[in-house]
Amino acid sequence: MTTSAQLSIVVPTFNETANIAVLVERLSDSLGPLNWEVIFVDDDSPDGTATEVRRLAREDGRIRCVQRIKRRGLSSACIEGMLASSAPYIAVMDADLQHDETLLPTMYSTLQDEALDIVVGSRYVAGGDASAFTDDRARKSELATRMSRMVVPESLQDPMSGFFMITRQAFESCMRNLSGIGFKILMDLFASAPEPLRFKELPFTFGQRFAGESKLDNQALWDYGMLLLDKLFGRFVPVRFVAFIMVGGIGVAVHMGLLTLFYQGMDYGFVTSQVGATLVAMTVNYVINNVITYRDLQLKGVDWLKGWFSFVLACSIGALANVGVAGYLFSQQTAWLLAGFAGIVVGAVWNYAITQLYTWHAQ
Ligand code: GDD
Ligand code: MN
């Protein structure tokens, strides 16, 4: 009987077909006799990354594939990969060979020999290097690092790193508090730990991407803000709700603009104008929420149409609830401004709760 892996390497992938075989070969070379496995977590990449992983897995039992359907997200992929592992040590690294796999044996021995929970591959300690970054990217990374100090230890030089190794015990202590939002899984782990993680940073040179292209876009910036908010205030209010309300604010502006256009500019009747403005505003809200608030569960194709229908239906009922509550409170002598506001709150909470369940099927 062979014993199970001592070290799992979790690799999130999206459109990385051309990097998989090279990465596995390099892992094999640097880890030598160590008992390891690699778990690729692929979000149903259109380029067939999962098929490529399984092709290799049929020849090598150390390769595993977790394929997620209709899901997106680097952090959540890493978390699910770590949950699929039984090994006492778990590493996370990118598929594109920007992370130096020859550091893994040192990370492993450091974790074994010293009283540590996590070892971080760091670009910003002496000997590390991130010159592969463009100036603009380096500036953003620096700003993000500075902001992260609100939720991670000051002395951690590279909380934005996506390359680290953690003990199973430490991971399990954090796993129920993780946000799983966006790109920054390391920051999430540090900010979720009930006891401060004992860590050490080992320098490495952040290389050039081998094949394919980076998935870090402006959305990642928004996700970063959401992760930070969730870590700071998530105990009190779900961060998706905050995003939903912000998008709702955009909807109100669109609504008022269109109402003015239809009623004043185009001479439609008031009710017709209001109905038109409402429908367009709801659709705009739906589109933005689908792309931003629920990007990880984004609806496409026929599902998009079904989603739009359920969203409009839910929000229409929300509007009735809004008017019902406000009307009742007003009839009970509540000040009109307060009654109106209470109606909005009830409507917004209803819209959020129902569409999260029936439009995007979030848990
Ligand atoms: N499953 C899954 N789902 N994987 C994803 C997704 C996703 O939605 N988005 C990206 N990935 C995978 C990529 O396929 C790659 O293997 C890895 O996550 C990193 O993505 P890149 O697109 O290469 O990111 P980057 O190089 O710009 O940023 C990396 O380096 C930064 C600096 O260390 C990431 O590791 C960042 O987290 C890190 O901050
Ligand atoms: Mn990369």
Side-chain angles (χ1 to χ4, degrees):
M1 199 181 74
T2 51
T3 52
S4 74
Q6 285 297 298
L7 169 64
S8 299
I9 298 138
V10 172
V11 183
T13 59
F14 193 76
N15 286 346
E16 303 285 3
T17 305
N19 294 319
I20 306 297
V22 191
L23 176 64
V24 170
E25 206 178 295
R26 291 206 192 167
L27 287 176
S28 199
D29 288 348
S30 18
L31 292 169
L34 227 149
N35 191 352
W36 60 276
E37 66 176 354
V38 56
I39 303 174
F40 290 95
V41 187
D42 183 64
D43 286 350
D44 207 15
S45 303
D47 79 342
T49 304
T51 312
E52 167 72 353
V53 172
R54 281 192 289 262
R55 182 181 74 78
L56 296 165
R58 274 191 291 276
E59 284 150 25
D60 188 338
R62 299 173 300 186
I63 304 173
R64 296 172 53 196
C65 179
V66 175
Q67 186 174 7
R68 308 194 304 169
I69 312 284
K70 292 186 187 171
R71 301 271 309 281
R72 274 305 297 274
L74 199 168
S75 277
S76 62
C78 293
I79 294 167
E80 283 162 48
M82 293 193 259
L83 288 169
S85 146
S86 308
Y89 299 95
I90 309 169
V92 168
M93 72 189 294
D94 295 351
D96 56 7
L97 309 167
Q98 290 192 284
H99 292 155
D100 179 4
E101 73 288 341
T102 62
L103 192 64
L104 287 167
T106 320
M107 287 175 145
Y108 186 73
S109 56
T110 309
L111 265 190
Q112 280 188 319
D113 298 346
E114 299 177 34
L116 294 170
D117 298 309
I118 186 165
V119 175
V120 177
S122 173
R123 297 160 293 175
Y124 302 130
V125 294
D129 186 1
S131 49
F133 268 1
T134 58
D135 284 355
D136 178 53
R137 176 84 193 257
R139 240 189 334 267
K140 282 183 184 153
S141 176
E142 199 190 312
L143 180 68
T145 303
R146 219 167 321 124
M147 284 166 68
S148 75
R149 302 272 180 251
M150 290 187 276
V151 295
V152 304
E154 287 275 337
S155 52
L156 180 61
Q157 299 298 313
D158 194 359
M160 299 300 127
S161 176
F163 185 29
F164 59 88
M165 194 182 292
I166 187 169
T167 66
R168 153 159 306 282
Q169 210 179 6
F171 170 68
E172 288 188 1
S173 76
C174 307
M175 64 188 181
R176 290 191 175 76
N177 303 331
L178 292 166
S179 306
I181 302 170
F183 258 58
K184 303 303 170 191
I185 175 64
L186 183 66
M187 172 173 150
D188 200 352
L189 282 165
F190 270 92
S192 302
E195 299 286 331
L197 294 177
R198 297 165 300 171
F199 68 93
K200 183 168 188 174
E201 288 181 86
L202 299 177
F204 83 103
T205 300
F206 191 75
Q208 296 288 352
R209 173 175 261 280
F210 185 66
E213 52 199 44
S214 170
K215 281 90 212 171
L216 197 115
D217 50 14
N218 287 333
Q219 172 75 33
L221 226 65
W222 164 276
D223 285 345
Y224 180 72
M226 287 293 131
L227 173 63
L228 209 55
L229 283 180
D230 193 46
K231 284 292 161 264
L232 291 169
F233 309 113
R235 261 166 299 165
F236 313 110
V237 51
V239 64
R240 270 210 229 264
F241 182 65
V242 177
F244 192 84
I245 295 301
M246 279 155 68
V247 174
I250 300 173
V252 172
V254 170
H255 183 115
M256 296 318 279
L258 284 176
L259 183 61
T260 315
L261 178 74
F262 294 155
Y263 183 57
Q264 298 272 309
M266 298 166 75
D267 265 353
Y268 284 113
F270 179 76
V271 173
T272 314
S273 301
Q274 174 76 349
V275 167
T278 304
L279 262 181
V280 179
M282 279 179 180
T283 304
V284 168
N285 273 7
Y286 171 63
V287 168
I288 303 181
N289 276 315
N290 192 45
V291 184
I292 290 180
T293 318
Y294 289 101
R295 190 202 197 202
D296 53 334
L297 299 166
Q298 204 171 11
L299 301 169
K300 291 182 178 140
V302 182
D303 289 338
W304 187 94
L305 215 62
K306 282 194 216 158
W308 175 80
F309 187 74
S310 68
F311 187 85
V312 168
L313 189 67
C315 294
S316 306
I317 300 173
L320 286 180
N322 170 344
V323 174
V325 168
Y328 171 78
L329 287 177
F330 185 71
S331 75
Q332 300 296 305
Q333 262 71 68
T334 308
W336 67 271
L337 214 55
L338 196 63
F341 186 70
I344 291 179
V345 170
V346 169
V349 170
W350 162 276
N351 289 351
Y352 170 72
I354 297 300
T355 59
Q356 101 158 352
L357 216 58
Y358 292 103
T359 305
W360 286 283
H361 311 288
Q363 72 293 51

